[in-house]
Amino acid sequence: MPCTSLYSQTTIWSVNFETGYSDNDASAQDNNSPAGADWTKSGSPSNWWRVESDNAISGSLSMSGRNTDATMTWTSESIDISGYSNVSISIDLAEVNCDDGSSDQIETFYNVGSGNVEFGDGNGDGNFNSATNTIAALSGSSLTITVTLFNNGGGERCIFDNIVVTGTASLGPDGPGGVGSTDGSDALEVWLKADDLDADGDQSDNPSNGSNVSTWTDHSGNGNNYTNTGSNRPTYSTSGTYNAVNFNASAGTAQYLNGASSGSYSDGSAFFAHNTTNVSASHLTFDNGSYSLRTEQWSNSGVVGFTRYGVADYTTSISSPFGSNSIYSFHKDGSSSNMDIRVNDDTETLAIGSSAAGIPYDRLGKNSTTTDEASGDFFEVILFSQDLNEMQIILIDNYLSAKYGGIDIPTDIYDGDNVANGNFDFDVAGIGQASDGSNHLDAQGTGVVRVRNASNLGNGEFFVWGHDNTTFNADSETDLPTGIEARIERTWRVSETGEVGTVTLSFDLTDVPGSVTTSDLRLLIDTDGDGFFNDETVGTGGVISGASNTSGNIYEWTGIDIDDAEHFTIGSINITQTPLPVELTSFKALLDQENEWVELIWITQTEINNDYFTLEKTTGDGEFTWVGEIQGQGTHNGQYEYTFIDEEPWTGISYYRLTQVDEDGKETHYPLEAVNYELPTPKILTAFPNPLAAGEELTIQFSGSDYPQIRSLVLHDQSGRAIDLSHDPSLQVEPGEVSFVLPHTLPTGIYVATMVTDNESPHYLPVVVR
């Protein structure tokens, strides 16, 4: 089922008639900047509907209206909601001296492009006193709000105030190449990437080479995972240049993965990034028993085709580039009996004879009769329940080509994947307009940069970007313009075809540690294309202020002009308020079996406003237990090593988590480190009674006549949970023995009592509670 990403609501537009208006304002024009409160009106007599101080709903001013047997209409200016989802409207209403019944009315409407639609129907009819009209879950590119009233008496007044439009700020399309969204809300149905799957139950995203694939995780937001728990599974491969899921048709059994649902799309697009090994077999991709998408190979040459079972195969004349990395895709318009097939830089249209025939998705790797099987390494699989337009196909082709080695494609518009000063082939996405007029206007892709609102986009013009995959660290970066105290090391590169004009550029800084003050941020652009930022200034256009915090950790610049081959990144003018990232070089949890403890070691390269670190551990159930805390170095340049000893590790596998806390309270969690601790062989001691019941006294006897100096006395249950009895009030120490009362609430089971005395190794004793 589709899932929904929830983000905080942002105020898009609001009016409360307190700012920019005056009493008896009959024009309702707020000329403040930014705009957000201008209205047009119609009806007669218009002078009786105006901003007034009489009968204000809140504050000192409201929009008040009265007339005689005529409808008055106020309509807001056009409100841009293109960057938001789940848009909501709220308007407060009130009345004075209105009649009962429906003769007196105030009504509210919204229009997102398909005409006025009333909301809050009935809340403004007759003597309603006061109400708030609301509507939610709207979407579109623009919105207008209309309010109408009708009064049949001059002393009757209808009033409205406090109009608020909110929405969830969109991160932009975050599918492959910036096409489609990963919240399950649109036509992106399946997105499989070989760098995120489950092989032999190992969900670390880094399974071992040759391990069997259990689940290939879907990133579309729909949960359409491809799974197989049987014996005929493909394997995870790290032997090539790119991680892959390998299907081997020569293995003797058909290897396949089953989709979470079944069927086909008569209107759809499917992409495969693939390397086909040289084996004589059919190289099947998707199949559902009625249709299949496949390549075929004979004597090291082959073609790509489509099969309708019971009907002759439909085969292209495209010779597949077997033995090399390829992008092949299938595109079907639901109203057409044709299917477009592309293999790298070759394209062909097949007349498949049926508009109902479509792109299947039941299985990946074999057909229902096992006569056609898959071979080769699959890097990425993408499926849409919509025939994508030409621009969208171009963007996905460029994303896959950059990611998997510069594969030849019909329209190669991104050249940042192979340039002299580095490969910017990570998280490639783009916007543009193809030569046929089809376009894609808003994209983010798999990275943190979103681009939209191109001001001058025409046919054959494109704006595509990618980054160099350097870190989000800022501590050691010295390539800084004057006045910039730090910048993110990662840089992005633009490929622009034509002149798209200015764009809106936003960054999601959620994964950038440290606090951010919006006014400290600067967009840095390498305007002269020399690969450096230190020669840029405000005057060159390479240091740009004016960022706005649109929602959460999203920071945005508008009206930005970045040209072809230019680089960009983010800097800070105040490293104290906005330090940008703090680098953690390493974090390790090392088990010392001899000393029976876990040593936690981590190293920082630089710290900025670092208050302290906390350490926690978990068994993997999601519940964390506090281990310890160490003070940070505040602001510190240079390497610094921290160590902490957990003297009471849990038995079995446990996971340690390090958290860094800034002075402003912002937390950054680092990846977990696992250890597997096995208790040493217990020493033989004497205890009685054993077994015993909770609440009874247990006595442990051992050799020696002196009073033992107890350093610690701990009970461990079978899950490793520790019960510290070192300071228990019932603890009694006598020559040669120690006694204590078991807690009354102790569950039945087997425990291990661990007692450490001065200058001696720990003593261990099984204890059975009945």
Side-chain angles (χ1 to χ4, degrees):
M1 293 182 62
C3 65
T4 302
S5 299
L6 298 179
Y7 301 94
S8 58
Q9 290 288 97
T10 299
T11 298
I12 304 170
W13 190 91
S14 65
V15 177
N16 66 6
F17 297 111
E18 302 299 325
T19 303
Y21 298 94
S22 60
D23 196 12
N24 292 318
D25 181 356
S27 64
Q29 297 295 302
D30 175 9
N31 295 316
N32 290 340
S33 180
D38 292 349
W39 301 78
T40 57
K41 62 181 177 177
S42 62
S44 178
S46 59
N47 63 313
W48 285 116
W49 196 348
R50 58 197 178 195
V51 178
E52 290 187 343
S53 57
D54 294 340
N55 307 305
I57 294 178
S58 63
S60 59
L61 299 173
S62 291
M63 180 64 75
S64 177
R66 61 189 176 110
N67 65 0
T68 303
D69 294 331
T71 298
M72 302 295 298
T73 300
W74 278 102
T75 301
S76 74
E77 64 183 358
S78 180
I79 305 164
D80 182 8
I81 59 171
S82 59
Y84 301 88
S85 61
N86 192 28
V87 174
S88 301
I89 307 170
S90 173
I91 302 179
D92 290 342
L93 310 177
E95 58 79 25
V96 177
N97 300 324
C98 288
D99 298 332
D100 291 334
S102 59
S103 58
D104 293 327
Q105 295 178 334
I106 180 170
E107 297 176 321
T108 56
F109 303 83
Y110 69 86
N111 185 345
V112 291
S114 56
N116 279 347
V117 179
E118 184 177 359
F119 64 100
D121 186 22
N123 280 345
D125 296 345
N127 188 12
F128 63 91
N129 191 26
S130 64
T132 299
N133 282 1
T134 61
I135 185 70
L138 303 179
S139 62
S141 59
S142 62
L143 164 73
T144 57
I145 300 170
T146 297
V147 183
T148 66
L149 70 80
F150 180 93
N151 293 127
N152 61 8
E156 302 164 342
R157 293 178 184 266
C158 289
I159 306 164
F160 71 92
D161 198 0
N162 304 325
I163 308 98
V164 181
V165 178
T166 62
T168 301
S170 171
L171 294 180
D174 54 357
V179 180
S181 297
T182 59
D183 61 0
S185 64
D186 59 21
L188 178 59
E189 303 291 347
V190 174
W191 188 9
L192 311 177
K193 296 183 285 185
D195 50 6
D196 189 349
L197 50 79
D198 181 3
D200 278 345
D202 180 359
Q203 299 184 45
S204 65
D205 296 341
N206 188 27
S208 58
N209 185 48
S211 54
N212 291 326
V213 174
S214 303
T215 301
W216 200 351
T217 306
D218 171 34
H219 290 262
S220 73
N222 294 300
N224 289 327
N225 300 333
Y226 278 72
T227 61
N228 188 353
T229 57
S231 58
N232 302 340
R233 288 186 277 167
T235 56
Y236 182 64
S237 173
T238 61
S239 57
T241 305
Y242 307 99
N243 294 344
V245 176
N246 178 262
F247 292 79
N248 185 359
S250 301
T253 56
Q255 298 178 343
Y256 63 95
L257 295 170
N258 289 320
S261 56
S262 61
S264 63
Y265 296 117
S266 62
D267 192 278
S269 290
F271 298 79
F272 302 88
H274 185 217
N275 182 291
T276 307
T277 55
N278 290 322
V279 293
S280 297
S282 292
H283 306 288
L284 195 74
T285 50
F286 277 141
D287 177 87
N288 73 342
S290 297
Y291 316 114
S292 69
L293 311 178
R294 58 188 173 86
T295 66
E296 297 175 352
Q297 179 183 8
W298 304 276
S299 302
N300 296 329
S301 63
V303 295
V304 178
F306 171 76
T307 297
R308 291 172 55 206
Y309 292 106
V311 183
D313 288 354
Y314 298 88
T315 305
T316 72
S317 60
I318 299 172
S319 177
S320 296
F322 288 98
S324 62
N325 290 355
S326 306
I327 302 169
Y328 53 96
S329 59
F330 301 78
H331 308 276
K332 174 67 170 56
D333 184 336
S335 63
S336 172
S337 298
N338 296 331
M339 178 174 286
D340 293 331
I341 298 180
R342 305 182 180 213
V343 182
N344 292 357
D345 57 359
D346 290 326
T347 64
E348 185 169 337
T349 299
L350 289 181
I352 61 175
S354 171
S355 61
I359 297 177
Y361 50 85
D362 291 30
R363 285 175 297 278
L364 176 64
K366 78 175 185 70
N367 67 7
S368 56
T369 61
T370 319
T371 56
D372 289 326
E373 307 172 24
S375 281
D377 288 341
F378 285 78
F379 310 127
E380 203 152 324
V381 177
I382 306 165
L383 175 64
F384 289 85
S385 58
Q386 175 182 318
D387 184 21
L388 299 184
N389 67 36
E390 181 65 19
M391 186 63 238
Q392 293 165 335
I393 295 170
I394 289 172
L395 289 174
I396 295 178
D397 277 351
N398 278 264
Y399 156 76
L400 293 173
S401 174
K403 186 174 181 179
Y404 298 111
I407 303 170
D408 291 335
I409 50 180
T411 307
D412 191 348
I413 57 177
Y414 184 66
D415 61 4
D417 51 338
N418 188 19
V419 292
N421 56 346
N423 292 324
F424 296 81
D425 48 9
F426 295 87
D427 296 326
V428 171
I431 60 174
Q433 187 161 304
S435 57
D436 65 355
S438 63
N439 58 44
H440 191 71
L441 306 178
D442 186 353
Q444 177 169 340
T446 52
V448 303
V449 172
R450 177 187 177 191
V451 176
R452 67 188 194 280
N453 297 338
S455 65
N456 189 42
L457 189 62
N459 286 358
E461 294 188 328
F462 315 105
F463 186 97
V464 188
W465 64 94
H467 65 78
D468 57 3
N469 204 37
T470 50
T471 66
F472 276 134
N473 298 326
D475 55 277
S476 59
E477 187 55 62
T478 59
D479 178 22
L480 304 173
T482 300
I484 302 299
E485 296 185 356
R487 77 163 177 87
I488 294 176
E489 182 179 348
R490 177 171 296 181
T491 60
W492 289 260
R493 188 181 192 275
V494 169
S495 289
E496 184 182 31
T497 304
E499 178 51 67
V500 305
T502 62
V503 298
T504 296
L505 188 72
S506 59
F507 291 78
D508 180 359
L509 299 186
T510 300
D511 293 331
V512 177
S515 59
V516 173
T517 299
T518 306
S519 59
D520 292 338
L521 293 177
R522 296 294 184 269
L523 177 64
L524 307 182
I525 303 176
D526 172 26
T527 60
D528 55 9
D530 64 356
F532 297 97
F533 295 96
N534 56 16
D535 55 352
E536 299 296 339
T537 65
V538 174
T540 65
V543 179
I544 303 175
S545 59
S548 61
N549 181 205
T550 59
S551 176
N553 296 305
I554 311 299
Y555 298 87
E556 180 175 285
W557 283 262
T558 60
I560 301 302
D561 187 6
I562 305 179
D563 294 325
D564 182 54
E566 292 184 347
H567 303 80
F568 64 92
T569 190
I570 293 181
S572 169
I573 63 170
N574 188 326
I575 201 171
T576 301
Q577 290 186 150
T578 307
L580 297 176
V582 175
E583 181 177 5
L584 180 77
T585 302
S586 66
F587 170 51
K588 296 180 180 179
L590 304 176
L591 174 64
D592 188 328
Q593 191 73 47
E594 180 179 353
N595 290 316
E596 300 167 26
W597 65 43
V598 172
E599 184 176 13
L600 303 166
I601 303 173
W602 64 102
I603 300 172
T604 60
Q605 185 63 38
T606 286
E607 300 175 36
I608 302 173
N609 297 329
N610 179 22
D611 194 358
Y612 61 93
F613 295 94
T614 63
L615 294 153
E616 301 165 287
K617 60 184 176 182
T618 179
T619 59
D621 59 0
E623 297 293 328
F624 285 88
T625 299
W626 186 86
V627 174
E629 179 179 307
I630 284 187
Q631 193 70 26
Q633 297 300 303
T635 298
H636 173 77
N637 291 319
Q639 193 175 92
Y640 194 90
E641 181 174 317
Y642 295 84
T643 61
F644 187 92
I645 302 296
D646 180 10
E647 296 182 345
E648 298 181 356
W650 292 340
T651 56
I653 299 175
S654 54
Y655 303 87
Y656 287 84
R657 181 171 75 177
L658 174 69
T659 299
Q660 182 263 327
V661 183
D662 283 348
E663 292 175 355
D664 64 357
K666 183 174 181 178
E667 297 183 352
T668 300
H669 298 298
Y670 295 100
L672 303 180
E673 286 289 310
V675 295
N676 187 3
Y677 174 59
E678 297 179 0
L679 284 174
T681 303
K683 296 181 179 180
I684 299 175
L685 301 175
T686 302
F688 59 93
N690 193 9
L692 74 166
E696 291 187 4
E697 183 179 81
L698 175 69
T699 300
I700 300 175
Q701 290 184 334
F702 53 96
S703 59
S705 57
D706 294 334
Y707 284 80
Q709 300 297 314
I710 304 298
R711 291 178 55 194
S712 66
L713 178 60
V714 179
L715 278 182
H716 289 274
D717 65 14
Q718 290 178 299
S719 69
R721 186 174 66 94
I723 303 170
D724 191 351
L725 300 171
S726 304
H727 305 289
D728 192 285
S730 69
L731 184 66
Q732 299 291 326
V733 180
E734 302 289 344
E737 68 179 33
V738 173
S739 64
F740 56 94
V741 176
L742 294 181
H744 291 274
T745 58
L746 199 65
T748 59
I750 300 175
Y751 295 77
V752 174
T754 304
M755 183 173 63
V756 180
T757 59
D758 280 353
N759 303 319
E760 290 198 31
S761 299
H763 304 282
Y764 301 97
L765 181 70
V767 176
V768 179
V769 178
R770 64 177 187 271

